[in-house]
Amino acid sequence: MRLARLTAVAALALPLSAWPALKPGDAAPPFRTPAAVGGQVFEFDLAEALKKGPVVLYFFPKAFTQGCTIEANAFAEATPRFAALGATVVGLSHDDIDTLRKFSVEECRDKFAVASDPKARTIQAYDAASLLPGMAGRISYVIGQDGRIAFAHEGSNPLQHVEETLKAVQRLGAARR
């Protein structure tokens, strides 16, 4: 009984992702998936986005939940700063595309795309699975134009994901000069 309690407490103390995140220098797995921006559905292709500049790919557990709404609002507010640095922001979750179409308008404020991964293929490829079934963990990556992970951040504070990825994109831009 005591061992079961200790195991349960330890499980709660662990991050919600089941596997360690990809590390800087790792190749970013390519993917294409339905996405929405401003309520309009399109096919997001990582390779195409990388032709324009670095990509901030953030995984979030579930649209319209408190933390995910805070994170989406903060990324929306910061999107012009990311764009000024040549970076594309895309959020990705297990939610279906109809839910994300609404989320892209209401919480992402038409500023950036959110992509749907209902079969969790991309979530698994990026080691972003949550211990909670049907959800991604809260993990953010900055992917350089070379297709490699330049930065990874995992943590429960949604605002830190925006702050840390913005700093990483700024460093990446400074390194290219």
Side-chain angles (χ1 to χ4, degrees), residues 24-131:
D26 290 348
F31 68 94
R32 292 180 64 157
T33 193
V37 66
Q40 300 301 310
V41 176
F42 70 101
E43 186 81 5
F44 181 86
D45 182 344
L46 178 63
E48 287 300 312
L50 287 172
K51 289 178 183 176
K52 300 172 194 164
V55 171
V56 175
L57 172 62
Y58 83 92
F59 292 88
F60 62 99
K62 190 153 187 61
F64 296 109
T65 59
Q66 184 178 2
C68 296
T69 295
I70 289 169
E71 188 172 34
N73 292 169
F75 267 115
E77 187 175 308
T79 294
R81 288 181 280 169
F82 283 106
L85 295 166
T88 298
V89 174
V90 62
L92 193 141
S93 78
H94 198 278
D95 292 298
D96 63 61
I97 194 62
D98 288 332
T99 299
L100 293 177
R101 186 180 54 74
K102 293 174 196 155
F103 192 68
S104 76
V105 173
E106 294 176 28
E107 305 305 345
C108 303
R109 301 175 181 158
D110 303 335
K111 299 286 187 183
F112 66 94
V114 280
S116 176
D117 189 21
K119 294 187 179 174
R121 290 184 183 122
T122 304
I123 292 167
Q124 290 172 359
Y126 279 82
D127 292 333
S130 170
L131 293 175

Side-chain angles (χ1 to χ4, degrees), residues 14-24 26 29 59 122-131 137-141 149 152-155:
L14 294 173
L16 288 179
S17 61
W19 317 109
L22 297 176
K23 305 289 184 254
D26 290 348
F59 292 88
T122 304
I123 292 167
Q124 290 172 359
Y126 279 82
D127 292 333
S130 170
L131 293 175
R138 193 174 306 282
I139 297 175
S140 297
Y141 294 101
I149 303 295
H153 178 75
E154 183 174 8

